[in-house]
Amino acid sequence: VPLSQMTFSSDAQGSLPHFNEKGQLDGLEVGGIDSLWDETARLIESKVLSVSDALKLITENPARVLGLSQGRVAVYKAADFVLINPNDLKITGTMNRGKWLMRDGKVLAKSMFDR
C-alpha cells in the first residue's frame, strides 16, 4: 500500500463513555491521544519510517482523506502544532488555533473546552 494511502487516527478529545456492570452509562470521559503519538514515535525509533513519513500518517494523509484544510503548514491553511524533543521524541508543546495547550512540557489546558 502506498504511504500516501495510510493513516493513523484516534478518538482523541472525543466522547469516551463508561458503562457499569449492568450496561448502564455511569460516566463520560474524554479520549486521549497518547496511543496515537506512541505508535508514531515507535515507527520513528525503530527506523521503520523516516520522521517525515511517519508524521504524514497523523497529519497530511488523514486531513487529505477527510477533505480537511489542516494537516500541513501552508499559506491560508489551518494547522495545529506539536513540538517534539528530537532526542527522546517526547511531546513538549502543543498549539491549537493559536492557543498553547502545552508549553515547555507543562499542560495549560486539558481539553478543548479549557482554552
Side-chain angles (χ1 to χ4, degrees):
V1 176
L3 181 71
S4 64
Q5 298 301 313
M6 294 183 200
T7 67
F8 280 6
S9 63
S10 75
D11 288 335
Q13 306 302 338
S15 303
L16 186 61
H18 183 267
F19 299 92
N20 64 22
E21 61 279 346
K22 295 179 183 177
Q24 300 167 324
L25 180 68
D26 67 359
L28 192 61
E29 299 175 12
V30 177
I33 196 167
D34 299 13
S35 64
L36 183 63
W37 178 249
D38 290 346
E39 291 305 315
T40 304
R42 191 180 328 227
L43 287 172
I44 295 166
E45 289 171 334
S46 64
K47 299 189 184 328
V48 170
L49 291 175
S50 68
V51 172
S52 176
D53 284 346
L55 291 176
K56 287 178 184 178
L57 297 173
I58 60 172
T59 58
E60 185 177 330
N61 292 359
R64 187 187 66 256
V65 169
L66 295 171
L68 304 173
S69 64
Q70 299 97 307
R72 60 190 176 96
V73 178
V75 176
Y76 301 115
K77 296 287 183 181
D80 300 334
F81 289 92
V82 178
L83 304 177
I84 309 297
N85 180 323
N87 298 317
D88 62 10
L89 297 179
K90 299 292 183 200
I91 297 173
T92 61
T94 60
M95 182 178 270
N96 174 260
R97 297 182 183 177
K99 304 272 186 189
W100 286 104
L101 303 180
M102 175 193 277
R103 190 168 187 178
D104 298 323
K106 182 179 179 196
V107 176
L108 304 175
K110 293 188 180 183
S111 77
M112 59 189 222
F113 305 110
D114 292 339
R115 297 187 278 152

